[in-house]
Amino acid sequence: MNPAAYILPCLFFAVFCAAAFRKVKLYDSFAEGVKGVVPLLKSLFPYLAAILILASLFEASGLSAGLSKALAPVFTALGIPSEICGLVLIKPFSGSGSLALLSEILQNYGADSYIGRCACIVYSTGETVFYMSALYFAQKKEKSSALPVALAIVSNFIAIVLGCLFCRIF
């Protein structure tokens, strides 16, 4: 068995021992912490539902494919292979959708190809921006600023362009 598989059980054991040593009622503390989750879930659910529905509609409507086809020349001019345009567009919306596209690209072109390396860069350059924004804005009282979302999208795109450039150089 892999030694890393013992890390989590050892961590739990250490927490239990520390709680016993400090005479903390572990179950009561856990139940108190869970009470705070219900309001969080109540405020978070509408944002997550909207993002998940929009991501599914974006892919199912064909908008993703049409936008990929339209933006392919621009992406190619920036050094991003046209074969990964769909991945660039779906990554900010859906982690599982982008993982499925990454798997398909790697299966078709191989992991060591330029396209495969660029696809891996796209997948790893950033988080699903809109999902993380939903988490962020669910807790924030003032929800009017779109600046953090715009900055995250721009920084992800810059990372994609630079990553594909580095893949071409190396």
Side-chain angles (χ1 to χ4, degrees), residues 112-135:
D112 291 331
S113 68
Y114 172 67
I115 293 169
R117 290 192 317 260
C118 286
C120 289
I121 292 288
V122 169
Y123 185 76
S124 64
T125 53
E127 188 55 59
T128 51
V129 174
F130 293 103
Y131 176 78
M132 293 307 293
S133 299
L135 293 176

Side-chain angles (χ1 to χ4, degrees), residues 89-106:
L89 293 175
I90 199 70
K91 178 62 178 162
F93 292 101
S94 171
S96 58
S98 59
L99 182 59
L101 282 175
L102 175 66
S103 298
E104 183 180 315
I105 291 169
L106 294 179

Side-chain angles (χ1 to χ4, degrees), residues 71-101:
L71 291 175
V74 175
F75 284 174
T76 303
L78 291 172
I80 301 170
S82 61
E83 294 85 357
I84 65 170
C85 289
L87 182 60
V88 172
L89 293 175
I90 199 70
K91 178 62 178 162
F93 292 101
S94 171
S96 58
S98 59
L99 182 59
L101 282 175

Side-chain angles (χ1 to χ4, degrees), residues 6 10 12 14 19 21-22 31 39 52 59 66 68 77 85 90 94 96 104 119-121 157 159 163 167:
Y6 293 109
C10 289
F12 278 122
F21 180 73
R22 291 180 162 197
L52 294 174
E59 189 66 31
S68 294
C85 289
I90 199 70
S94 171
S96 58
E104 183 180 315
C120 289
I121 292 288
F157 191 71
C167 283

